[in-house]
Amino acid sequence: MFRQGSRFLSRASTMRWCRPFSTDLPAEAAADSNFVEAWRKAIPNVEPPITPSSFMATRPATPSSIPSKLTVNFALPYSSELSGKEVDMVIIPATTGQMGVLPGHVATIAELKPGVLSVHEGNDISKYFVSGGFAFVHANSVADIIAVEAVPLDRIDPNLVQKGLTDFTQKLSTASTDVEKAEAQTGVDVHSALNAALTG
Amino acid sequence: MAMAALRREGRRFATPLLSPNPANALRSSLVPYEEPVLSGVRCISTQVVRNRMKSVKNIQKITKAMKMVAASKLRAIQTRAENSRGLWQPFTALLGDTPSVDVKKNVIITISSDKGLCGGINSTSVKISRALHKLNSGPEKENKYVVLGEKAKAQLVRDSKKDIELIMTELQKNPLNYTQVSVIADDILKNVEFDALRIVYNKFQSVVSFLPTVSTILSPEVVEREAESGGKLGELDLYEVEGAETKGEVLQNLAEFQFSCVMFNAVLENATSEQGARMSAMDSSSRNAGDMLDRLTLTYNRTRQASITTELIEIISGASALEG
């Protein structure tokens, strides 16, 4: 008898898992109703186009107490490195200096500079070298990090970094125009940041 | 006696048979009204059908090949488009989705393909762009187009040439990457003054369905104005800004970065939709060619059968006439 009961319970729990599919996309609710109304009035014979918010899962509201984990989205143009991952802490290379983000961090918009982004999860620390971008920390303990390029630190060749650093330092000293100078300066900045990340 | 019978039989048959052989002096003398055009009509009709069958078969081969090419391109680009979807979401979460924003200078960026034969995706984005133009037009308002791709250019140049600010084509000559798209975005930012950019593209959903989509990007000044006046962007004031000296500078960088990221995703989505649409269009046209080929084969075989039957009748009747 109890065997049957357990099976029934397990089925109930799997059914509960199946349910959320029907509410997966809150498409109509999230769209801008003013826009749709104005569209229908002005152009009645064409269906209003979709806007990006209808493809997005709504972000959770700010909880009253600080959650124990930080949700991180880390996106690159060619992949989503982390998406909705719950971690303990991230350290972001902001232009003003390294910025540690814990759950309950104040809402912030930060520009990134070339440097090391480290994601702390328990005892695991994964380090990426990012080339620049933006980071948004929201009040609901969600952090969005967008970078143009990022590589795990262990895939960088120290010899090439040294070589690049000397190359660009030389270029900077011989640069004549402003554009050349700026390019060489960027190269030196990136390579010295890489060097610091590898040695430090 | 025999001659008379032959003459009788011949007269009975010769009229409906349309003799293919004018050398048959006997019959041609018997049927004085036979027209020279009709001679050999049977051969020509099968020849015409055979030619059409050949051309339809060639067309089917071409459309099948195009479908294969589109399918393999689609697979490559679809993963890239799906991977780039994470890129715009943080911006929408932060700056909101504001298609209904009311500003003076609207710039509509229409993304389309360079090549045709891909269903209705280009005309859809042109239609939506025109509708957006109409929706946002009014006194003291400016609407401009920025056109990406040959096909939308051809359609928009016809009736709104004076509104087109910038045209870019041959986007997909090289495989799309972020650097290339950010150069395009930079070009647009440099050459066009705007309060709001509206990017019109087809979002890829599946091989047979594409959703016309409008992404809105506001200029930093408008973002600041909207944030101060509350409303949808009201929450932006709660954010601490780190980075450059002033908030405006950061917002400027942010808007430019947002534009390049959203553009990147939009261009990829549109390219994916293009390949998907081309694939389904080519699929249906090769199916149509197959149907047509079936019909033509049927006609051809029927004609052939009829001519064989006619010949048999001729032979048998001739023989029976000789016997009789």
Side-chain angles (χ1 to χ4, degrees):
Chain A
M1 193 176 88
F2 285 117
R3 228 181 331 168
Q4 296 291 332
S6 75
R7 194 192 295 166
F8 186 72
L9 269 179
S10 72
R11 200 203 290 160
S13 68
T14 51
M15 273 175 75
R16 207 178 306 138
W17 272 112
C18 291
R19 272 282 159 74
F21 278 115
S22 57
T23 54
D24 234 4
L25 277 178
E28 283 0 285
D32 193 330
S33 56
N34 289 341
F35 174 67
V36 172
E37 260 168 44
W39 182 282
R40 288 249 157 82
K41 207 179 277 173
I43 310 116
N45 52 354
V46 182
E47 271 292 296
I50 316 274
T51 53
S53 57
S54 46
F55 302 119
M56 252 179 68
T58 41
R59 293 292 172 96
T62 313
S64 49
S65 62
I66 294 172
S68 60
K69 294 273 186 184
L70 179 75
T71 313
V72 178
N73 298 311
F74 181 25
L76 301 176
Y78 51 86
S79 75
S80 292
E81 286 289 316
L82 308 174
S83 121
K85 196 173 184 195
E86 300 207 318
V87 300
D88 294 321
M89 178 173 79
V90 287
I91 298 176
I92 297 169
T95 42
T96 46
Q98 295 283 357
M99 191 171 94
V101 179
L102 288 162
H105 192 279
V106 66
T108 309
I109 301 171
E111 268 188 82
L112 307 185
K113 63 171 189 204
V116 179
L117 168 81
S118 45
V119 181
H120 296 245
E121 190 188 3
N123 290 327
D124 288 349
I125 302 174
S126 39
K127 287 187 174 177
Y128 299 91
F129 187 83
V130 297
S131 64
F134 267 93
F136 315 136
V137 183
H138 302 280
N140 52 7
S141 294
V142 175
D144 292 319
I145 304 160
I146 313 142
V148 176
E149 182 68 73
V151 271
L153 211 54
D154 49 13
R155 287 198 211 149
I156 295 171
D157 185 358
N159 298 330
L160 280 179
V161 173
Q162 289 295 344
K163 191 168 164 283
L165 187 57
T166 47
D167 275 3
F168 275 106
T169 323
Q170 207 171 4
K171 256 185 210 164
L172 186 61
S173 56
T174 57
S176 51
T177 61
D178 278 352
V179 178
E180 272 178 25
K181 251 179 210 163
E183 273 174 10
Q185 186 62 49
T186 316
V188 170
D189 283 351
V190 171
H191 281 89
S192 47
L194 264 172
N195 199 22
L198 285 173
T199 51
Chain B
M1 182 65 208
M3 265 316 270
L6 180 65
R7 208 174 288 158
R8 214 165 43 232
E9 287 291 324
R11 200 171 283 163
R12 202 196 295 160
F13 278 110
T15 348
L17 272 186
L18 307 174
S19 155
N21 190 2
N24 188 341
L26 174 71
R27 202 170 288 155
S28 61
S29 74
L30 284 173
V31 188
Y33 296 114
E34 188 182 332
E35 289 168 49
V37 184
L38 287 174
S39 63
V41 122
R42 207 163 56 201
C43 297
I44 289 178
S45 76
T46 58
Q47 188 63 46
V48 167
V49 174
R50 222 182 300 148
N51 280 344
R52 285 207 53 195
M53 275 165 69
K54 209 190 276 172
S55 70
V56 169
K57 221 181 266 175
N58 282 340
I59 289 170
Q60 193 188 23
K61 265 182 209 160
I62 293 169
T63 53
K64 262 188 186 161
M66 282 180 83
K67 186 194 152 194
M68 297 289 183
V69 171
S72 71
K73 278 190 183 164
L74 174 73
R75 199 168 311 146
I77 207 160
Q78 189 183 349
T79 45
R80 281 153 54 79
E82 277 164 3
N83 282 337
S84 75
R85 279 182 190 166
L87 203 60
W88 54 264
Q89 297 198 2
F91 292 105
T92 311
L94 182 74
L95 299 169
D97 184 21
T98 50
S100 58
V101 71
D102 187 34
V103 289
K104 260 189 192 160
K105 285 181 199 153
N106 286 291
V107 174
I108 301 163
I109 302 178
T110 312
I111 299 180
S112 71
S113 68
D114 281 336
K115 289 174 191 155
L117 291 179
C118 52
I121 63 160
N122 293 325
S123 48
T124 319
S125 46
V126 169
K127 216 192 312 173
I128 296 288
S129 309
R130 282 199 184 124
L132 268 178
H133 189 284
K134 194 178 157 197
L135 185 68
N136 292 314
S137 59
E140 294 182 12
K141 280 192 180 179
E142 242 182 83
N143 277 295
K144 292 281 178 205
Y145 289 114
V146 171
V147 181
L148 267 73
E150 205 72 60
K151 289 287 151 183
K153 173 185 149 194
Q155 292 186 38
L156 279 173
V157 158
R158 248 183 296 156
D159 66 340
S160 28
K161 195 169 185 191
K162 59 179 192 329
D163 286 341
I164 296 180
E165 193 97 322
L166 200 64
I167 298 175
M168 290 184 199
T169 53
E170 297 193 335
L171 228 62
Q172 293 192 49
K173 218 172 181 182
N174 308 313
L176 291 165
N177 58 23
Y178 181 76
T179 321
Q180 194 186 342
V181 174
S182 43
V183 169
I184 293 170
D186 201 38
D187 255 9
I188 294 174
L189 287 173
K190 262 187 215 152
N191 294 322
V192 183
E193 270 183 36
F194 68 95
D195 286 332
L197 292 163
R198 297 166 196 276
I199 306 179
V200 182
Y201 60 99
N202 285 281
K203 193 178 165 68
F204 179 79
Q205 200 181 28
S206 74
V207 180
V208 285
S209 89
F210 322 102
L211 304 169
T213 310
V214 177
S215 297
T216 315
I217 288 154
L218 305 176
S219 71
E221 299 84 42
V222 175
V223 169
E224 217 155 352
R225 200 188 70 199
E226 294 278 308
E228 274 163 21
S229 69
K232 273 204 156 178
L233 292 177
E235 283 179 17
L236 199 66
D237 260 356
L238 304 176
Y239 284 83
E240 234 174 62
V241 174
E242 282 190 20
E245 285 86 54
T246 60
K247 193 174 179 178
E249 229 168 285
V250 175
L251 281 180
Q252 173 86 32
N253 286 345
L254 187 64
E256 285 176 9
F257 191 44
Q258 181 194 15
F259 178 48
S260 72
C261 289
V262 173
M263 265 294 271
F264 181 62
N265 177 253
V267 167
L268 272 179
E269 293 281 355
N270 203 67
T272 318
S273 302
E274 180 200 338
Q275 297 302 344
R278 178 164 298 133
M279 200 178 119
S280 54
M282 287 301 117
D283 184 45
S284 65
S285 58
S286 46
R287 203 175 317 127
N288 273 346
D291 287 352
M292 197 183 238
L293 195 63
D294 283 351
R295 275 204 307 278
L296 285 175
T297 318
L298 198 66
T299 324
Y300 174 74
N301 283 341
R302 214 173 259 162
T303 325
R304 196 174 54 105
Q305 197 89 43
S307 76
I308 291 170
T309 318
T310 324
E311 271 167 24
L312 273 178
I313 290 171
E314 271 171 27
I315 294 165
I316 293 167
S317 59
S320 69
L322 283 175
E323 270 170 27

